[in-house]
Amino acid sequence: MQRRLARFAEARDWGQYHTPKNLAAALSVEAAELVEIFQWLTPEQSARVMADAEGAARVEDEVADVLAYLLQFCHVVGVDPLAALEAKIERNETRFPKPGTGHSME
């Protein structure tokens, strides 16, 4: 997907705009647009958003935008997103052990 996104941007000469700063800002904007869908909903209403075709389509579009900008950002700065996620999960497993091990926030 990163290569496809890079080819898409290259074909449109958007590389000049795809700096780490600009991509991080775009990612933040798209994440805010995802939040906006749920902003004034109750917890119960937010749990039902995906049951509505229009709401589900909006969520899917914003999720795609967030993921696209994240993948483009990672490509530009040289981060392997799956390796970064795996390392973060491993650190969190150490920081936040399962309950009952005597080390968690029980």
Side-chain angles (χ1 to χ4, degrees):
M1 291 309 302
Q2 284 178 293
R3 285 190 298 273
R4 185 173 180 186
L5 288 165
R7 286 192 307 269
F8 181 87
E10 285 172 22
R12 288 150 182 85
D13 197 27
W14 290 350
Q16 61 187 315
Y17 307 110
H18 285 193
T19 64
K21 177 194 79 70
N22 288 349
L23 290 168
L27 174 59
S28 176
V29 169
E30 295 302 336
E33 290 179 5
L34 179 60
V35 170
E36 183 180 31
I37 296 168
F38 298 93
Q39 184 174 9
W40 302 113
L41 302 181
T42 65
E44 296 78 20
Q45 290 169 323
S46 69
R48 293 191 302 268
V49 165
M50 297 305 287
D52 171 67
E54 185 178 324
R58 288 180 62 209
V59 169
E60 289 173 2
D61 279 349
E62 296 309 333
V63 165
D65 289 342
V66 168
L67 184 56
Y69 278 119
L70 179 59
L71 290 175
Q72 289 171 316
F73 176 83
C74 288
H75 177 76
V76 167
V77 299
V79 169
D80 177 336
L82 295 180
L85 177 59
E86 186 169 354
K88 180 66 173 189
I89 291 170
E90 288 173 4
R91 285 192 305 276
N92 283 345
E93 286 173 340
T94 301
R95 288 180 58 207
F96 308 106
K98 292 186 266 185
T101 62
H103 303 312
S104 69
M105 300 183 323
E106 299 178 64

